Amino acid sequence: MSEQRTEQPAWSALALEGVRVERPKVVVKADLLPAVSVVSFVALLGIPVGWLWSLLAPPQRMRVMGGQAGELPLQLESWHRFDALAVFLLLGLAAGIAVGVVVWLLRERRGPVILVAAVLGSVVSAWLAMQMGLSFAGSRYAITEPPEVGAVVEAAPVLETGWAVLAQPLTTALVYGMLAIWNSRDDLGRRLG
């Protein structure tokens, strides 16, 4: 009798001769409800990130001028606009790393559905952090009385670009992707058995 060999698909590096190994499929329906939970919980992370930003971002000291000049920043104080943006970006990067690692630890839910949920939650979280951070900073540096001409006041930090919200979701996707590559299993380790 002649032996017939069955060809294994190229993707099945671990397949034994004569044993058919099925490629794991993407689970969508079972992951939808956990994905909604991931979006919700990740989005809520924006509130403490915004509060932390309002504490760390430096205010801009300004001198009150008379007439239509309004307020003018003191020398070198305008650099704090960049400092506030840099602090927000660093907090977004840290939050993105934390979200990527924590979501990866949901072993039985690993996959593209949860990755998309984590990235969407991070977008909402970063937007919420920006809005809440500006609100917290505005109330922290509120001027209660009209200042005198020549007085130095501290103006609340501002974020002058909306592009800063991309730091957290991009970092989340990068960290989750790097962990998936490092895992190198076809099913990403979903099966616990």
Side-chain angles (χ1 to χ4, degrees), residues 42-58:
V42 171
L44 288 177
L45 181 64
I47 296 171
V49 169
W51 178 74
L52 191 58
W53 176 80
S54 72
L55 294 178
L56 295 176

Side-chain angles (χ1 to χ4, degrees), residues 103 139 150 172:
V103 170
S139 66
T172 299

Side-chain angles (χ1 to χ4, degrees), residues 31-48:
D31 286 348
L32 282 180
L33 186 58
V36 171
S37 298
V38 166
V39 170
S40 302
F41 284 120
V42 171
L44 288 177
L45 181 64
I47 296 171

Side-chain angles (χ1 to χ4, degrees), residues 23-184:
R23 175 180 258 172
K25 304 222 180 331
V26 174
V27 179
V28 177
K29 283 187 180 181
D31 286 348
L32 282 180
L33 186 58
V36 171
S37 298
V38 166
V39 170
S40 302
F41 284 120
V42 171
L44 288 177
L45 181 64
I47 296 171
V49 169
W51 178 74
L52 191 58
W53 176 80
S54 72
L55 294 178
L56 295 176
Q60 186 175 3
R61 295 185 322 163
M62 306 183 106
R63 182 170 307 279
V64 177
M65 306 301 285
Q68 292 189 356
E71 299 173 348
L72 294 175
L74 296 179
Q75 192 174 20
L76 301 179
E77 285 291 314
S78 62
W79 288 3
H80 288 316
R81 296 180 323 178
F82 171 77
D83 298 340
L85 179 63
V87 168
F88 188 81
L89 289 173
L90 289 174
L91 288 173
L93 292 174
I97 290 170
V99 167
V101 169
V102 168
V103 170
W104 177 257
L105 293 176
L106 300 172
R107 183 175 183 162
E108 63 277 358
R109 298 293 176 204
R110 289 179 184 166
V113 175
I114 296 299
L115 169 63
V116 170
V119 171
L120 285 177
S122 292
V123 169
V124 175
S125 173
W127 177 82
L128 188 60
M130 179 179 277
Q131 299 304 316
M132 295 301 290
L134 291 172
S135 178
F136 288 141
S139 66
R140 184 169 182 217
Y141 295 103
I143 299 174
T144 56
E145 301 173 358
E148 297 177 12
V149 174
V152 175
V153 295
E154 290 185 335
V158 294
L159 293 170
E160 296 180 351
T161 179
W163 290 102
V165 299
L166 294 179
Q168 183 177 345
L170 290 176
T171 307
T172 299
L174 179 68
V175 167
Y176 196 91
M178 294 297 288
L179 289 170
I181 291 169
W182 176 66
N183 180 272
S184 75

